Amino acid sequence: MADNATIVRGIYDGLARGDIMAALGAMHERIEWNEAEHFTYWPGGAFIGPQAVPAGVLARIAQDIDGFGIDVRRIVAAGDTVLVEARYKGTAKATGKAIDAQVAHVWDLREGEAVRFQQYTDTWHFAQATGVVPLERALA
């Protein structure tokens, strides 16, 4: 079985190739996917299960951002936890503004599957670039 850092690297590689199924295939059926609080695509709680991730996050990113990519700078494994330091890159379709946001991801794995994801990013930069307001603010 691959080590946890290799599994997580495979998720990013799958996303970069546009192979969403390969990325989702590394996730547990009940993965808890957490976007950063107040991030543009944060629903106010976790997405549960890999099937929730494409509709809740990936499709919305594709809708809002041209050339979106994750520039992975470093992956560090600490047992069942994997830390990723990266940058989000792309151009917001609505505003034409460049996105170059610092991001950290924390992955928890069990028996070779990702069971939890937590994103930390510059939510202000992302909202300013995209012009997209987080859902809970839009409803307030």
Side-chain angles (χ1 to χ4, degrees):
M1 180 189 330
D3 66 46
N4 289 335
T6 301
I7 293 166
V8 169
R9 169 51 84 182
I11 293 171
Y12 291 101
D13 290 349
L15 292 172
R17 298 191 301 274
D19 188 351
I20 305 303
M21 295 311 294
L24 298 178
M27 298 178 196
H28 187 272
E29 67 182 16
R30 298 285 302 155
I31 188 172
E32 179 183 316
W33 182 283
N34 296 285
E35 294 290 294
E37 291 180 4
H38 308 289
F39 184 61
T40 303
Y41 307 117
W42 179 59
F47 294 101
I48 304 297
Q51 70 285 353
V53 176
V57 181
L58 302 178
R60 295 174 67 196
I61 288 171
Q63 174 185 318
D64 295 337
I65 303 167
D66 279 326
F68 181 78
I70 304 171
D71 180 11
V72 176
R73 305 285 175 93
R74 182 165 60 151
I75 297 177
V76 179
D80 289 338
T81 300
V82 177
L83 309 171
V84 177
E85 181 181 346
R87 297 196 75 82
Y88 289 148
K89 304 270 189 163
T91 303
K93 292 180 182 179
T95 66
K97 293 181 181 178
I99 295 169
D100 184 5
Q102 183 180 40
V103 62
H105 294 160
V106 179
W107 294 88
D108 292 313
L109 290 94
R110 187 173 59 238
E111 299 177 4
E113 291 184 307
V115 296
R116 186 173 183 280
F117 167 85
Q118 177 63 61
Q119 170 203 59
Y120 299 95
T121 193
D122 184 345
T123 58
W124 179 252
H125 170 75
F126 208 92
Q128 290 299 301
T130 63
V132 178
V133 178
L135 178 62
E136 42 72 60
R137 289 189 186 159
L139 296 175

